[in-house]
Amino acid sequence: MISYLIRRLLLLIPTLIGITFITFLIVKSIPGDPVLGMVGERTDPETIERIKKELGTERSFVSQYAGYIGLIIKGEMGRSYYTNQKVSEAIIEKFPNTLKLALGAVIISSITGILLGIFTAVKRGTVLDRIGSFLAIGGISLPVFWIGLILMLIFGLYLKLLPPSGMGEGNLIYLVLPASTLAIPSGAYIARITRTMMLDVLSQPYIATAKAKGLKEFSIIFRHALRNALIPIVTIIGLDFGSYLNGAVLTETIFGWDGLGRYAMDGILKRDYPVIMGAVLVGTVVFVIINLIVDISYAYLDPRIRVKGKS
Amino acid sequence: MELKRFFKANRTALIASIILGILVLSSVLAPFISLYDPLSIDLDRIKESPSMTHPFGTDNKGRDIMSRVIYGARVSLSVGLLAGAISMALGLFFGIVSGYFGGRIDRGITILTDLTLAFPSLILAIGITVVLPPGIYTVLIALATVGWAFFARLVRGVVLSVKEYPYIEAAKGIGCTKFRILMNHVLPQCIPVALVAIGLKLGGFILLESALSFLGLGAQPPTPTWGSMISLNRIYIHSAPWMVIFPGLAIALTTISFNILGDALRDYLDPKFMLK
């Protein structure tokens, strides 16, 4: 296990180099002076001079890239053009809000997705299965930003059950609408995977044995079948984390949720390049690290993966 | 014949393709079937609710929403289909080259593929679109950059197994050029995978295009797009919800149809392959 862990951590290095290289290429193609593009026009002249020296447009491409990496490692992602706030500070400040939203969404999407998946698998071939499967396909097809607006309209403005937007000083009820919106596409995805996995498991002989023993259907489904179907489902839940990051940009904008996504959106609207690139970089790195954690925990649960990786 | 059998087995797929056919047709014939000019402003008729004269209502400048939705289909469908085609072509090229030649080329392309897939798609697309001049071409470049890797990975897998087949050996034996082997013997084997993949991905491309438009990074005003209509009209959601509902329904109808068709195609061509 430890050698697997070390191998995976080492593999992280080329990925991170590749990601920063791509963001570096994007930063270099920002219209105008790349240094200003990186740190913002309102940064004090000494810093601009220092970064110019460190990045040195007159130096070679490789040393410019090395300079860029150095800046990132120091957490130097520039300042916003407009507020002059350090991008790194803003990201640290807003990240917990996005995390809260994502956690809420993971909980909602896992529970509803798994239950819907089990339900459609058990009712296979019936009208209920068709309706459930259609709901699942709808969930992965609908644009998040539109669903968010419609939910806001129905529950926030017409029924007045939930606050339509804002954060409400940490009151959990404000989390319900944005988290549900964010949960819909991944919940639908989880439902589809769960259905496939459950159908696979339910057709196996040991389920027939359990039925022949006269066990109750509830216990067969949840104690015998679901347990074996769960590992791949959990993996999917983790690997699908990218869709939360994608969705966060849109969901947070709609609901006025003060997280990374809305921060990025504000940056996009104002063409505030340091903000955009900071959000892109941090979002991607978080995504990669979460994927790594999922991989490792999967390997921990299923020894075959560790062995296969070696050969 | 094959087509008839496919649709007979999948009636929902038939409905989905009829819907898509209507959508494509109405976007091609937009100038003839839309009741109004999508850009003409009529300040006497702002924010009118749906009626016989304006079936989807009007927006804050009195423009006819139905006409704007029909014209918006042009952008979404053409960008989605083109991006799909470009991604598929790139994926076929890189997948075949990487799988067939192996070695250093393979390693290089695989690294590039993994790297592309390491980015959350919308975030990478945002990164690309913010530095290029805004417009349809930029969206195409962004979608293709995000999309090709999925195809390349699948195609490479197919090529790795195909190149071990005896008939490839035989083709080499009778002195076929590499180009000929790739074009006539390897490529046809990859087409079914690529078709299934594009079926599964087209809905995603259209969603991504609408998300970019929503963020203001897509085709620029005054060109109507579904995403930008929702984005610009959302401040009126309380007083004039139809301004947001109809463009969203258009996106939903399109992507659901594409996804149903894609699923049916995958199940029909090979149920085992590509669970994920």
Side-chain angles (χ1 to χ4, degrees), chain A residues 96-117:
Chain A
N97 288 335
T98 299
L99 198 66
K100 208 161 105 188
L101 184 62
L103 280 180
V106 171
I107 293 170
I108 297 173
S109 69
S110 315
I111 294 175
T112 51
I114 290 176
L115 286 180
L116 185 64

Side-chain angles (χ1 to χ4, degrees), chain B residues 16-79:
Chain B
S17 22
I18 291 173
I19 292 174
L20 288 174
I22 295 172
L23 280 167
V24 171
L25 209 63
S26 56
S27 73
V28 171
L29 300 176
F32 305 105
I33 58 165
S34 57
L35 299 169
Y36 302 87
D37 177 352
L39 304 180
S40 84
I41 292 169
D42 183 353
L43 293 178
D44 289 335
R45 299 179 142 258
I46 61 167
K47 297 207 273 177
E48 272 186 18
S49 55
S51 64
M52 287 306 281
T53 43
H54 294 281
F56 292 178
T58 62
D59 68 5
N60 59 319
K61 292 185 177 129
R63 294 175 294 197
D64 179 52
I65 293 190
M66 189 175 179
S67 309
R68 290 177 67 73
V69 168
I70 293 173
Y71 272 87
R74 291 189 148 188
V75 178
S76 287
L77 289 175
S78 54
V79 169

Side-chain angles (χ1 to χ4, degrees), chain A residues 161-164 166-168 170-178 257:
Chain A
L161 285 175
L162 296 162
M167 307 238 306
N171 193 336
L172 274 182
I173 198 159
Y174 283 83
L175 190 65
V176 176
L177 273 184
W257 192 264

Side-chain angles (χ1 to χ4, degrees), chain A residues 146-160 164 177 255, chain B residues 236-242 244-245:
Chain A
W146 185 67
I147 298 196
L149 287 167
I150 299 297
L151 290 180
M152 181 199 279
L153 186 68
I154 297 173
F155 293 101
L157 299 174
Y158 288 161
L159 301 176
K160 299 198 192 320
L177 273 184
F255 291 102
Chain B
Y236 305 105
I237 186 154
H238 203 188
S239 58
W242 54 88
V244 169
I245 290 175

Side-chain angles (χ1 to χ4, degrees), chain A residues 27-40 51-52 55 57 64 81:
Chain A
V27 169
K28 279 209 51 110
S29 33
I30 288 172
D33 188 330
V35 173
L36 290 185
M38 267 197 66
V39 297
I51 289 175
K52 266 195 178 155
L55 274 181
T57 26
Q64 278 183 50
Y81 288 174

